[in-house]
Amino acid sequence: MIEENYDAIVIGSGMSGGWAAKELCDNGLKTLVLERGRDVKHLKDYPTAYKNPWDFPHRNTIPESVQKENPIVSRCYAFKEATEHFFVKDTEHPYVQEKPFDWIRGYQVGGKSLLWARQVQRWSKYDFEGPGRDGFAVDWPIRYDDLAPWYSHVEEFIGISGNYDGLETLPDGEFLPPWEMNAIEKHIRRSIKENYSDRYPVIGRCAHLTEPKEIHLAQGRGKCQARNMCDRGCPFGGYYSSTSSTLPWAEKSGFMTLRTDAVVHSIMYDDAKEKVTGVRVIDRLTKETTDYFARVIFLNAACLNSNLVLLNSKSERFPNGLGNDSNTLGKYIAFHNYRGSMTAKYDGYQDSYYFGRRPTAVMLPNFRNVFKQDMPFKRGYMVHYSAARENWGRDVAGDQFGADYKEKISRPGTWSIHMMMQGETIPKEENHVRLSPDQVDEWGIPQLVTSVGYDENDELVLQDFLEQGSEMLEKAGCRDIVTKDSGQAPGLDIHEMGGARMGKDPKSSVLNKWSQMHDCPNVFVADGACMTSTGTQNPSLTFMALTARAANHAIEEMEKGNL
Ligand SMILES: Cc1cc2nc3c(=O)[nH]c(=O)nc-3n(C[C@H](O)[C@H](O)[C@H](O)COP(=O)(O)OP(=O)(O)OC[C@H]3O[C@@H](n4cnc5c(N)ncnc54)[C@H](O)[C@@H]3O)c2cc1C
């Protein structure tokens, strides 16, 4: 057992851990980043980035044998031959599903920031006010104005493309030029605006460099090429991942040490000193144990793994998990309800086309229960839609050949529209994770038991989306509208949140308004685990902004000698 001392330790090198590392190193703190997976270096470790479909043995599809062995991860749309090396396979890291839960993970430097779909939106003031106003979960200890400067801070650095829309329900950020809607998307937007006074579709906001600025070039990143092969790792650095952005930036400062293959077993609480002193790590390959010590700990292992680490961090003072005086740790897990979607066709605009593979869609911010509770269900949903021409060869039939055939296969098909929901779910005590009493993983760490399900509110939200979505498309003149409830298990949304929620009262929450443990002030949890409620927005921008805010608070407190 070796001992090493640092100013700060960051657990997890993904989307949010990258931000903790950057902020701490920018401020001169000697920072150790612990990552359970292997190293992934920007450019060097993107083996499929330039491959064509015919370069893959199975044309970039997952063979049936792999699907059979890995039913959970195979349900994720992004799990393909080109990306499978960035996903955790079911067989490698088992967990116990008390209720069906598709836990999608990426265990390597970069975490899931290599794989994400890069859609980002700020929360609005209505999202932070939601739980307090509508009486669920606990009141958020912060409001939009507390986070707004940190949204800006993150957006400027990672680069967000978006349009300045001036909507209260989806506040604008620091934007690079937006992508463009195509003709039919604009047509649907016009129709929605004409028919509904409360609905404003906007072009999606996404973490892509449409026009890199000085700060992005300084990171070694360049313009997005609209290749839409992002989840292989982008050789242009055209989208944000911690591997292309925050981690190399932190490394350049000279203050960061990155230790890979470091499976964090627990955070160590010293009963005599009455504080957290460090982190216990088991080497992924040798299984050797090492303790690392630091003044502050940032836990950014992704929502459920952060819950697991905390639940497994037991001491005399905290027999039920670190900082768990409230007995809420592992509870109030929530996620996004993605079950509803629909497709449709549109006959017009046959002379319109579009350029490139745009990495975003159209977003319609939530319009239910925004200003007051006026529906028979709580909260609401965001809608995403996009339109594309169906396959080439619209008029091809039978045994044609020659010039006529060539002419016909060069004609794009009918416009088809895809629409989907992203529904808020209500955090509840019964939706929880806990440690298995008898099953452990390869490193002797208890497996996680997931007990998270839908409720009646989710069904009502789903029905409302299916009705409203169909109505909006019908009013826009679409035909063949087909609605679908995928019935998918929670988890497949990959937006799990909660378990160590923020709150004002230590009796009912684990973290204070700085994402700092009420009971262990030198521990910060600013990934999805800290979320008090889910909002309807894609969550990662909020995780990054909360992490940057927490890190800067920690730095200030350390300077004052309080930590
Ligand atoms: C296909 C896909 C599409 C997505 N699309 C979007 C989107 O459009 N918009 C959006 O906002 N979000 C999206 N997400 C979700 C997004 O990726 C996550 O919200 C985000 O990555 C979470 O950040 P994180 O830092 O908490 O976790 P991660 O990025 O997963 O990083 C956690 C890191 O911690 C490490 N770790 C875990 N346990 C330990 C341990 N015990 N010891 C040491 N290290 C540990 C992991 O190996 C990992 O590297 C998507 C995700 C996927 C997979």
Side-chain angles (χ1 to χ4, degrees), residues 163-167 169-170 172 179 181-182 184-205 361-367 382-386 419 472-473 476:
N163 186 50
Y164 290 93
D165 298 298
L167 300 181
T169 48
L170 203 70
D172 292 335
W179 296 89
M181 290 187 202
N182 61 39
I184 176 73
E185 290 166 348
K186 283 182 187 159
H187 167 84
I188 296 172
R189 177 180 60 170
R190 256 193 319 274
S191 164
I192 291 175
K193 282 167 93 172
E194 276 164 23
N195 285 293
Y196 305 90
S197 58
D198 58 349
R199 303 183 194 183
Y200 312 94
V202 303
I203 185 65
R205 300 161 184 185
V362 182
M363 295 169 177
L364 170 57
N366 177 36
F367 49 89
M382 174 175 279
V383 174
H384 299 267
Y385 74 83
S386 59
M419 187 179 259
M472 287 187 276
L473 293 180

Side-chain angles (χ1 to χ4, degrees), residues 11-18 34-37 76-78 87 104-113 115-120 231 262-265 300-303 305-306 309 338 445 493-495 527-528 537-541 543:
I11 304 171
S13 66
M15 188 88 69
S16 63
L34 294 170
E35 168 54 50
R36 70 175 300 151
C76 176
Y77 73 91
F87 281 95
I104 308 296
R105 294 158 287 171
Y107 288 172
Q108 63 264 320
V109 168
K112 299 191 294 289
S113 77
L115 292 166
W116 68 317
R118 299 123 6 241
Q119 304 307 299
V120 288
D231 46 19
V263 181
V264 170
H265 168 278
N300 294 84
C303 175
N305 270 312
S306 289
V309 168
Y338 265 40
I445 297 171
D493 44 289
I494 327 177
H495 288 177
D527 60 15
Q537 290 85 340
N538 293 77
S540 303
L541 179 66
F543 302 167

